[in-house]
Amino acid sequence: MADKNPINPLLTPYNMGEFDLSHRIVLAPLTRNRSYNNVPQPHAAVYYSQRATKGGLLIAEATGVSDTSQGYQDTPGIWTKEQVEAWKPIVDAVHEKGAVFFLQMWHVGRVSTYGFQPNGQAPISSTDKGITPGLDGVDWAPPRRLSKDEIPSIVNDFRVAARNAIEAGFDGVEIHGANGYLIEQFLKDQVNDRTDEYGGSLENRCRFALEVVEAVTKEIGSNRVGIRLSPYTDFMESVDSDPDALGLHLAKELNKFDLVYLHMIEPRFSGEVVAHELLPIRKAFNNTFIASGPSNRRKGNLPISENYADLVAYGRLFLANPDLVRRYELDAPLNKYDRNTFYTQDPVVGYTDYPFLEEAN
């Protein structure tokens, strides 16, 4: 479509499959640790609806697919009836603003401790190699390697979670295949040391991720499914020796499922995005490509104007500026975020109390 806003490409409309978006600014999925006992709370309706705009895309925070999927305090789930019911008014509040709302589904795998696991069991992973004790100040529990026979059950957890998300009213789901969590623990060769059909070759290491994608798309339709990947990151000691090959292979394989989008976490150098490394992956993927990582409006406009990405996801800036879209329209000053309140359990402070533009003046 014609660019009606060449000065601010982020504010141009875009068709993401069946979803007509009025702009290209996306709320990235952000863990906020405010879902008590893994149940979303009413204050989340305020938080998300504050950031919802007509025709905008929001991706809800990483949400567990089962009771073994947890690794952080008070993160939400989508595997019980109570959780599904708790999400419904939150989704309704976002839809009342006219926004599109996807749920990110995750399983943390080995990024966990005994205290988060049922009956104090070991967390599960592709491997029995643990995270270095003390990383991020946590004594991570040594994981238990999933047997081949157990893997279909984990795939099914994602399928059921996707069905539950649609029941809760979400427009779609994002499969979390990034940041060192379970799916990425299969994908990356410095973690996955398996010798069966889920390890070794690139094709084998991608098998679990693609089985999850297949199950989820069959359950709710590919037009409602996206995925997030991070081949270039090293979060939670999850590294691959050839991220270029991994990213390209996945992009091509994902085309077979006709996913609505691919959401990529970009590599960084000295704190800034190195966009060119993802260009081959962007070109290889057939549908909507979401870039994640820019630190301001100018850097967000560049991927759109240079056709490097279709949409741009903002995390910390959107967290601190519920009216980020309007501020970008006006080129207005931005609130500064407070890292100290990113992951607290307070239902207001650092969550729903960041001022809107009128309140800040």
Side-chain angles (χ1 to χ4, degrees):
M1 63 182 64
D3 187 347
K4 298 179 180 179
N5 196 335
I7 297 175
N8 215 347
L10 281 169
L11 300 179
T12 58
Y14 177 76
N15 296 111
M16 187 185 78
E18 65 182 46
F19 303 104
D20 295 326
L21 305 181
S22 60
H23 58 79
R24 305 188 185 220
I25 299 170
V26 178
L27 173 66
L30 299 166
T31 293
R32 302 309 313 274
N33 299 96
R34 288 165 166 88
S35 296
Y36 307 130
N37 295 319
N38 308 126
V39 178
Q41 298 296 306
H43 46 250
V46 179
Y47 171 75
Y48 283 111
S49 64
Q50 282 180 335
R51 289 152 182 81
T53 56
K54 183 175 177 58
L57 173 61
L58 280 65
I59 307 173
E61 62 208 272
T63 299
V65 299
S66 70
D67 60 355
T68 68
S69 66
Q70 301 298 301
Y72 299 94
Q73 183 71 33
D74 293 325
T75 53
I78 192 70
W79 72 87
T80 72
K81 183 68 174 176
E82 180 185 12
Q83 292 162 348
V84 172
E85 293 301 315
W87 274 116
K88 288 182 177 180
I90 302 168
V91 176
D92 289 344
V94 170
H95 283 161
E96 286 173 7
K97 293 286 193 73
V100 177
F101 204 13
F102 272 51
L103 177 73
Q104 188 187 69
M105 308 185 303
W106 75 343
H107 193 300
V108 301
R110 69 176 186 169
V111 186
S112 189
T113 63
Y114 295 122
F116 287 109
Q117 296 301 306
N119 303 314
Q121 299 172 359
I124 58 176
S125 181
S126 64
T127 177
D128 55 12
K129 294 187 300 183
I131 300 169
T132 301
L135 182 68
D136 282 358
V138 178
D139 288 331
W140 306 102
R144 177 180 67 80
R145 183 194 309 267
L146 282 166
S147 71
K148 186 177 67 174
D149 293 340
E150 291 177 295
I151 290 176
S153 176
I154 307 302
V155 172
N156 190 59
D157 287 338
F158 278 90
R159 181 190 65 80
V160 173
R163 183 183 66 200
N164 289 345
I166 299 304
E167 181 184 342
F170 284 98
D171 298 292
V173 300
E174 176 178 284
I175 298 168
H176 197 343
N179 295 120
Y181 299 117
L182 181 62
I183 289 177
E184 195 169 82
Q185 290 160 31
F186 276 86
L187 292 175
K188 292 191 171 180
D189 61 10
Q190 301 304 294
V191 180
N192 186 342
D193 57 358
R194 303 176 72 95
T195 57
D196 59 13
E197 55 263 53
Y198 289 93
S201 69
L202 183 59
E203 292 76 14
N204 282 357
R205 286 183 281 114
C206 292
R207 190 182 307 277
F208 174 63
L210 296 174
E211 287 180 351
V212 170
V213 170
E214 181 178 23
V216 171
T217 54
K218 283 184 176 179
E219 182 67 31
I220 66 172
S222 61
N223 60 322
R224 293 174 177 266
V225 181
I227 191 169
R228 197 182 206 200
L229 301 173
S230 59
Y232 294 93
T233 67
D234 60 0
F235 191 71
M236 289 297 164
E237 301 179 330
S238 187
V239 180
D240 193 80
S241 62
D242 192 348
D244 292 327
L246 177 60
L248 274 173
H249 178 76
L250 280 168
K252 293 173 182 177
E253 290 297 309
L254 290 169
N255 284 332
K256 298 175 182 178
F257 299 97
D258 197 28
L259 299 189
V260 70
Y261 70 73
L262 171 57
H263 183 183
M264 296 293 293
I265 297 177
E266 307 188 31
R268 292 171 180 269
F269 179 75
S270 299
E272 294 300 337
V273 173
V274 185
H276 67 276
E277 292 197 35
L278 292 186
L279 274 173
I281 300 173
R282 191 268 199 274
K283 291 177 179 178
F285 186 71
N286 292 339
N287 294 337
T288 297
F289 191 87
I290 305 177
S292 183
S295 58
N296 57 36
R297 187 180 72 156
R298 181 184 64 81
K299 291 186 176 69
N301 275 318
L302 283 174
I304 307 300
S305 62
E306 297 179 1
N307 198 30
Y308 158 64
D310 301 302
L311 306 173
V312 176
Y314 284 88
R316 292 167 293 180
L317 292 185
F318 220 150
L319 178 157
N321 296 273
D323 54 351
L324 182 67
V325 176
R326 184 161 184 267
R327 288 175 187 257
Y328 275 13
E329 288 175 348
L330 302 174
D331 197 15
L334 301 180
N335 298 324
K336 294 182 179 179
Y337 52 81
D338 181 2
R339 292 179 181 275
N340 295 323
T341 59
F342 281 0
Y343 307 115
T344 68
Q345 282 73 52
D346 195 292
V348 176
V349 176
Y351 192 55
T352 59
D353 63 344
Y354 281 104
F356 286 76
L357 194 57
E358 295 82 358
E359 300 168 344
N361 292 336

